[in-house]
Amino acid sequence: VMIPGNVYNYGEQMPPVLTEETPHLPTAKKGKMRCAMEAAYKKASGEGVQTIILRAGDFIEREQTGNWFDSYIAAKVGQGKATYPGSLDRVHAWAYLPDMASAMVGLAKTRATLSPFEEFGFEGLNLTGHELIKAMEAASGRSLKIQGMPWGLLRLLGLVTPKIREVMEMRYLWNVPHAIDGSKLAAALPEFERTPTDRIFADALTITAPNPDNYAAPSTA
C-alpha cells in the first residue's frame, strides 16, 4: 500500500523542520483522521500488508484539481494578481505532484529492501510566500499584485458550512512555518532528482484556474 501522506498529523505546534521522527500531535479533525488511518495501516503491516507513506506538503500540479495553488494562489495570474492565504515570510511545504509520483514509483520498486511499515518525507519545495510569488512572477514574466484571503468572511460562512469550517481549522498551516526534510528519501533513492523550480512553475502556470470569487473551499483531503 502506497499512501500520499500530508503534514496534518503534526498539529499547530509542529517544529520548523519535519522529519520521520517528528511526533504526531494533531490538533484538527483532519489531522486526527490521518493519524488514525496511518495507525491502522501500521497495525496491518504486522499482518502482511506492507505500507509505505510518502509525506508531502500542498500540491502543485499540471491540472486543475481544486487545490490551494490552482484555485486561489495562481487563479488570477492572468490579471496580474496572486492570492496568498497566510504570512508571506513563513516557510510552507509544497510538492510538485509529478515528482512525488515518480518518487512513489521508485519506492515501490525498492519495497523488497524496506521494512513492513515505512515513512518518508518528500522535501519538494520549502518556500516562503515571498519566494513562491517571486517564482510565479519569473514563470509568468510579469509582476503580481498580492492579495490576502478573506478569512473574516470564511469564518462567518463556516458557521453554517461544515466544509468551510474545516478549512478554517487548518488555517494554521499558512502561519506556522514548516519544511519537510527529505534526507531519508534521498538515501533510499540516490538517483532521484526533482524538477527544477523554474520548470515547475512554468508547467503549473500553463493551466487556467477556476474563478476564485465564490471562495468555494479548496480540497483539504
Side-chain angles (χ1 to χ4, degrees):
V1 176
M2 304 288 296
I3 297 176
N6 57 37
V7 301
Y8 300 173
N9 304 51
Y10 302 116
E12 294 186 51
Q13 303 304 314
M14 61 183 169
V17 179
L18 306 171
T19 72
E20 292 79 12
E21 286 73 42
T22 301
H24 291 184
L25 301 171
T27 53
K29 176 182 177 182
K30 289 185 178 295
K32 294 174 182 178
M33 291 173 65
R34 280 280 174 166
C35 285
M37 179 190 72
E38 291 179 16
Y41 275 106
K42 187 172 185 177
K43 180 180 179 181
S45 70
E47 302 169 356
V49 182
Q50 185 178 16
T51 301
I52 301 170
I53 298 175
L54 184 59
R55 196 174 306 284
D58 275 311
F59 290 159
I60 296 175
E61 49 194 306
R62 295 171 177 160
E63 299 179 8
Q64 297 176 31
T65 60
N67 62 40
W68 275 103
F69 186 80
D70 67 50
S71 289
Y72 291 90
I73 295 174
K76 293 185 177 181
V77 167
Q79 301 173 36
K81 301 176 182 178
T83 300
Y84 197 76
S87 301
L88 290 165
D89 60 346
R90 310 292 170 82
V91 174
H92 188 85
W94 294 93
Y96 185 47
L97 195 57
D99 285 350
M100 187 176 178
S102 294
M104 294 187 85
V105 170
L107 290 172
K109 289 181 177 179
T110 62
R111 64 189 181 276
T113 68
L114 302 177
S115 300
F117 184 86
E118 291 271 13
E119 175 184 344
F120 293 87
F122 183 78
E123 186 170 351
L125 301 171
N126 296 315
L127 303 172
T128 65
H130 284 300
E131 291 170 336
L132 179 73
I133 300 300
K134 184 177 180 181
M136 291 169 59
E137 289 178 330
S140 64
R142 64 189 305 172
S143 296
L144 299 174
K145 181 180 179 181
I146 305 172
Q147 304 175 145
M149 284 287 291
W151 289 111
L153 173 60
L154 291 176
R155 184 178 293 107
L156 291 175
L157 292 174
L159 296 175
V160 294
T161 308
K163 187 175 182 180
I164 297 294
R165 189 157 56 246
E166 291 188 10
V167 170
M168 291 299 302
E169 193 175 38
M170 305 302 296
R171 181 183 177 183
Y172 73 89
L173 289 170
W174 298 102
N175 294 314
V176 177
H178 60 282
I180 295 178
D181 180 278
S183 300
K184 181 180 177 182
L185 180 65
L189 302 177
E191 297 183 0
F192 172 78
E193 294 184 6
R194 72 169 180 82
T195 303
T197 301
D198 58 347
R199 175 65 183 276
I200 289 175
F201 286 96
D203 285 351
L205 293 180
T206 59
I207 63 175
T208 302
N211 186 347
D213 289 338
N214 57 8
Y215 294 109
S219 172
T220 57

